[in-house]
Amino acid sequence: MQNPVIILGAQELGVLALDAFQSNDVIVYCFLDDQVALQQKEVNDITVMGNTEDENFLKMLGKKCDVFVAAEDNATRKSLTNMLKEDYKVVPVNAIHKFSYVSEHAWLGHGNFVQAGAIVNANAKVGNGCIIGARAVVDTTAVLDDNVQLGAGAMVNAGVTIAEGAFIGTGAVVVAGVKIGKNARVGAGAVVVADVPAKQTVFGNPAQPVK
C-alpha cells in the first residue's frame, strides 16, 4: 500500500484502524465522520475533516488516496462500501495490524480489519468487510462470509463456515466443521458444538438458543 488512507468513521473502530495503519507506517490523511460533534476535531492527532459524503475528499479516492470503512454496524459499513463502488469505482483496502498473522495461503477480500494478535491460517477464506478482533483465530479451511465480526480471542476452528453478518462474541469457540447461519449471534465465551440457524442467538457451554 503506497497511498495515504482516508478512514470513514472516527469512533472506536476508526481509532483501531488508524492504529493498524500506523503500525505499518501507512499515512492516514484524515477521518470522515457523520457525527457533527467530531468534525474539525482531532482524533489521535488525525483531523476529522468532514462527513462521509464530502466530495472534496471522496473525489481523491483511487487517485491520491485509498479508503477504509470503519463504520461500527454492518448495515452502514455495507452501504458505504456500495456507495464507494458505485460512485467512485473503488473498494476499501484491508487494515491488517503489523502484529497480526495472515498466512500467504489465506484468501482475503477487501475492507477487512485484522487486529493485533489475530491469526488467519493457511487456506482460510475471509470475505469482505469482516472484523477479526484482537487475538482471534481463523483456522485452516474456515470460511467467513462478508461482514462477519469476531470478538477478541474468538476461536474459529478448521472447516467452520460463518455466513454473512454473523457475530461471534469475545472468547467464543466454534468447534471444527460447525456452520453458523446468516446474521446469527454467538455470545461471549460460548462453545458452539452444533450448527446455528440464521438469525439465531446462542449462549453458554455448550451453546444453547436464547428463547
Side-chain angles (χ1 to χ4, degrees):
M1 186 186 303
Q2 300 296 324
N3 291 332
V5 176
I6 294 174
I7 299 177
L8 306 190
Q11 299 175 53
E12 181 178 326
L13 190 60
V15 170
L16 292 170
L18 169 65
D19 183 60
F21 286 120
Q22 290 181 334
S23 78
N24 291 290
D25 297 321
V26 174
I27 295 170
V28 172
Y29 184 79
C30 70
F31 287 110
L32 299 178
D33 195 286
D34 293 334
Q35 194 171 117
V36 175
L38 288 174
Q39 291 169 14
Q40 305 309 316
K41 294 183 178 179
E42 288 191 350
V43 176
N44 288 22
D45 300 322
I46 303 297
T47 304
V48 183
M49 291 188 174
N51 62 43
T52 59
E53 297 180 352
D54 194 326
E55 291 188 2
N56 290 322
F57 298 101
L58 296 178
K59 67 184 181 183
M60 299 166 62
L61 301 179
K63 302 169 185 176
K64 298 179 180 179
C65 289
D66 291 318
V67 64
F68 180 78
V69 177
E72 303 289 332
D73 68 279
N74 280 340
T76 303
R77 198 159 60 253
K78 192 172 182 178
S79 175
L80 287 171
T81 299
N82 288 338
M83 177 272 290
L84 293 169
K85 289 180 182 177
E86 293 171 7
D87 295 349
Y88 298 94
K89 312 305 179 190
V90 297
V91 295
V93 295
N94 291 317
I96 301 174
H97 199 284
K98 177 180 179 179
F99 295 117
S100 64
Y101 170 76
V102 178
S103 170
E104 293 181 0
H105 301 289
W107 187 92
L108 270 68
H110 59 77
N112 297 297
F113 182 25
V114 183
Q115 296 185 40
I119 296 172
V120 181
N121 274 330
N123 298 329
K125 183 176 180 180
V126 178
N128 305 314
C130 294
I131 299 170
I132 300 175
R135 303 180 308 283
V137 176
V138 182
D139 209 351
T140 182
T141 68
V143 177
L144 276 56
D145 206 343
D146 295 347
N147 297 306
V148 167
Q149 296 188 48
L150 304 183
M155 178 69 195
V156 176
N157 281 284
V160 167
T161 300
I162 303 180
E164 180 181 357
F167 174 84
I168 312 298
T170 298
V173 176
V174 184
V175 172
V178 164
K179 294 179 173 59
I180 306 294
K182 185 175 181 179
N183 295 323
R185 298 182 66 83
V186 174
V191 178
V192 185
V193 299
D195 293 353
V196 178
K199 299 182 180 180
Q200 179 69 68
T201 298
V202 297
F203 283 93
N205 181 8
Q208 300 292 328
V210 176
K211 297 181 180 179

